[in-house]
Amino acid sequence: MPKVITFDRFELGIDLRKGRAVADANRLRDLKNGYVTPGWHIQKRPGITSVGDLTAGSKGLIGYNGKLATFSAVSNPVHNTTDDGVDIDNYQLPYSANASDDATDVHFAQPFNNKLYVAMEYASGNTEHHYIDGVAPYHVTDVNCPHSKEVIKMQSKIYAVGYGTDTEVVGYSATDDPTDWTLTDDAGFLPVGIRAPGSANPQGLGNFNDQLVVFMDDAAQVWALDPDPTLNALTEVIGNLGCEYNNTIGSISGDLFFLSPVGFRSIALQSMTDNLEDLDVGTPIDSLITDDLLAGNTPLAIYYTGGGQYICFIGTTAFVYSYSRTAKVSAWSYYELPFSVDAVAPLNNELYLRSGDTLYKFDAEAYTDDGDSFEVLIELPYQAFKKPSVLKHLVGCDLITKGTGTIQHRYDSSDVSLITTEIPFSGDTRPGPTYPVDLSVTEVAPVIKNHDDEDFAFYGISYLFENLGVR
């Protein structure tokens, strides 16, 4: 009588820290264009739908007051409403020192007291801060405003790297007035450079439990902020934990995620001691974050509440961390996209993407990328069915899925090129005959693919096998 073993838990996603022959069954070798749900199964990612073209001349993208918004310098383009009915505003922010200096990037844009605070970079390489308060021109004129790229809003102030001409501090505006960086006993700066164990130049800013985290490229400082600036205090320095990519810093379920020089990392609070610790949350996919991937690309991350995911776009790849504390899901996967993402904006539970002057959105009701199919790839580690070195005869398998696809089997971890031919399947195969496998091996690694324009989910796979004894 054949034995049966089932693999139906994938809550840890991709994990490449162990060899493919010794990794646990609930960890994956590959998960492309899919993600792990709170139910521990694998779901095909949403398709991407084009929702219209932007009039040329603008940069950036945010959701604001129920609309999308872009920013420009030299021209003031008027955009059409998106195909799904969203209006788009544009805000013209010329560079105060040269009106012909065109915009190249928007590094920060968020509401502050119901108005927008924006840090925009221009073709000259200069960055300027603007506060769109209804009275043009909008640029911040205070000489102590650092006009830097690294900006964060916290406790009714704007914080930014630098203060005046000093680049080794973090400046902050007056309370409720982001245009005033000089007000005595209210505006000022944090002396982060002289408190740094190594590099004195701040590279990024984050918010962890209402404390300001200042990143250098080799360390992080945590500052407790107070309405009385004289009570601002450095509470902790975390060494060997740098960040060079300010636009990857984001909060997810109380932790602070970021892309460090060695991969994705996070800062979390140790529950028993109230001390901060750095976590190697990204080590399962460190080997995927290569110099070639980063070369020429500016990483851009967002926490998408609609999916409970931290998503970091690097070129045409999006690394996705799906997390659920209650379901104990902490799973990495990645999406292959048909374009590079220049800006991303959540609005009304939708996630809009900008590539050049074209707008797209992740569409839960679409299963292609604007009509083009894409491949979902799922690969498990080699499994010995709890009997290492024992030869088994695999009689067949049952797939528990929604939708159609193909399955192959790798059967020798010393030579990954050894793989069976593809066999098509459709839906849940358990009511019918088992799918033939007919292999006499010690280990096997299933490879599942889906290419069709359809909803697809992978819930698990069951094998029927007989132990043949030690080889």
Side-chain angles (χ1 to χ4, degrees):
M1 185 72 178
K3 299 177 182 294
V4 179
I5 191 168
T6 299
F7 303 104
D8 59 1
R9 292 181 52 174
F10 312 109
E11 70 270 26
L12 298 180
I14 297 176
D15 190 343
L16 305 178
R17 289 174 292 187
K18 290 184 177 181
R20 62 177 66 243
V22 293
D24 301 331
N26 58 349
R27 303 168 193 262
L28 302 171
R29 296 302 299 180
D30 209 341
L31 178 50
K32 179 177 71 174
N33 289 326
Y35 62 93
V36 178
T37 74
W40 295 352
H41 72 269
I42 296 169
Q43 178 65 47
K44 182 177 184 176
R45 71 161 169 86
I48 296 174
T49 300
S50 171
V51 293
D53 292 322
L54 297 167
T55 303
S58 72
K59 298 293 180 181
L61 185 72
I62 65 167
Y64 176 61
N65 279 346
K67 303 177 183 180
L68 293 171
T70 65
F71 306 89
S72 65
V74 175
S75 62
N76 189 16
V78 176
H79 305 304
N80 294 323
T81 301
T82 66
D83 294 344
D84 59 343
V86 177
D87 291 332
I88 310 172
D89 290 332
N90 182 76
Y91 297 91
Q92 187 178 14
L93 306 172
Y95 182 41
S96 61
N98 182 0
S100 64
D101 199 356
D102 212 356
T104 58
D105 205 352
V106 177
H107 295 282
F108 177 87
Q110 283 190 18
F112 188 99
N113 285 345
N114 246 359
K115 305 174 181 68
L116 285 174
Y117 194 91
V118 182
M120 191 153 71
E121 185 177 1
Y122 299 85
S124 62
N126 294 301
T127 300
E128 189 165 58
H129 290 195
H130 304 265
Y131 187 49
I132 307 173
D133 58 0
V135 182
Y138 301 120
H139 64 277
V140 178
T141 59
D142 193 310
V143 295
N144 286 319
C145 177
H147 295 290
S148 54
K149 301 175 184 178
E150 303 83 7
V151 184
I152 193 170
K153 178 181 69 174
M154 291 184 64
Q155 298 189 357
S156 300
K157 295 177 182 285
I158 292 292
Y159 289 78
V161 168
Y163 190 72
T165 59
D166 190 347
T167 61
E168 295 186 359
V169 300
V170 170
Y172 51 87
S173 71
T175 303
D176 292 325
D177 186 358
T179 66
D180 188 342
W181 292 72
T182 306
L183 184 63
T184 303
D185 297 330
D186 196 5
F189 62 88
L190 304 174
V192 300
I194 61 174
R195 311 296 290 273
S199 172
N201 294 112
Q203 303 286 331
L205 304 173
N207 183 340
F208 178 78
N209 280 354
D210 289 327
Q211 298 179 90
L212 177 67
V213 181
V214 182
F215 289 95
M216 279 67 172
D217 58 15
D218 57 359
Q221 298 179 16
V222 183
W223 287 78
L225 306 177
D226 193 274
D228 180 356
T230 63
L231 299 179
N232 290 336
L234 176 64
T235 61
E236 194 156 356
V237 176
I238 306 174
N240 303 314
L241 188 72
C243 177
E244 300 175 1
Y245 308 103
N246 182 68
N247 287 334
T248 68
I249 302 170
S251 297
I252 172 171
S253 298
D255 295 346
L256 189 66
F257 276 49
F258 55 94
L259 180 59
S260 79
V262 294
F264 293 102
R265 296 294 183 267
S266 73
I267 294 176
L269 186 68
Q270 291 178 334
S271 59
M272 300 300 293
T273 63
D274 286 344
N275 290 325
L276 298 183
E277 62 176 347
D278 59 291
L279 297 181
D280 54 357
V281 66
T283 54
I285 60 166
D286 274 353
S287 61
L288 300 181
I289 312 299
T290 63
D291 291 340
D292 289 342
L293 180 68
L294 292 170
N297 294 311
T298 301
L300 170 66
I302 190 168
Y303 177 60
Y304 177 41
T305 56
Q309 298 168 327
Y310 171 87
I311 307 176
C312 184
F313 300 90
I314 307 176
T316 58
T317 303
F319 292 93
V320 180
Y321 184 77
S322 302
Y323 181 79
S324 171
R325 191 182 302 276
T326 55
K328 298 182 179 180
V329 171
S330 53
W332 284 104
S333 61
Y334 64 96
Y335 300 164
E336 283 190 347
L337 308 178
F339 49 76
S340 295
V341 175
D342 301 316
V344 57
L347 180 68
N348 301 329
N349 289 321
E350 303 280 7
L351 193 61
Y352 291 88
L353 312 174
R354 176 173 185 167
S355 181
D357 287 329
T358 303
L359 279 183
Y360 303 88
K361 72 173 183 179
F362 278 123
D363 188 343
E365 297 181 359
Y367 307 110
T368 65
D369 287 341
D370 233 15
D372 294 328
S373 63
F374 58 88
E375 178 184 74
V376 179
L377 173 63
I378 305 164
E379 182 171 345
L380 276 64
Y382 287 85
Q383 297 301 316
F385 303 170
K386 301 181 181 181
K387 295 288 185 179
S389 301
V390 173
L391 193 66
K392 300 114 183 150
H393 178 217
L394 276 61
V395 179
C397 69
D398 274 317
L399 291 121
I400 311 157
T401 71
K402 178 196 293 183
T404 60
T406 64
I407 183 169
Q408 297 173 273
H409 290 93
R410 302 189 194 277
Y411 52 88
D412 185 344
S413 59
S414 65
D415 186 353
V416 296
S417 67
L418 295 176
I419 188 169
T420 62
T421 57
E422 290 185 332
I423 299 176
F425 65 81
S426 179
D428 187 345
T429 67
R430 291 174 298 178
T434 59
Y435 273 52
V437 179
D438 196 19
L439 288 172
S440 294
V441 293
T442 59
E443 57 192 359
V444 69
V447 178
I448 295 97
K449 298 177 183 178
N450 165 269
H451 296 92
D452 295 335
D453 178 4
E454 62 179 356
D455 189 9
F456 178 78
F458 178 65
Y459 300 99
I461 186 169
S462 297
Y463 286 98
L464 281 71
F465 69 99
E466 297 172 336
N467 288 322
L468 301 180
V470 179
R471 290 173 295 130

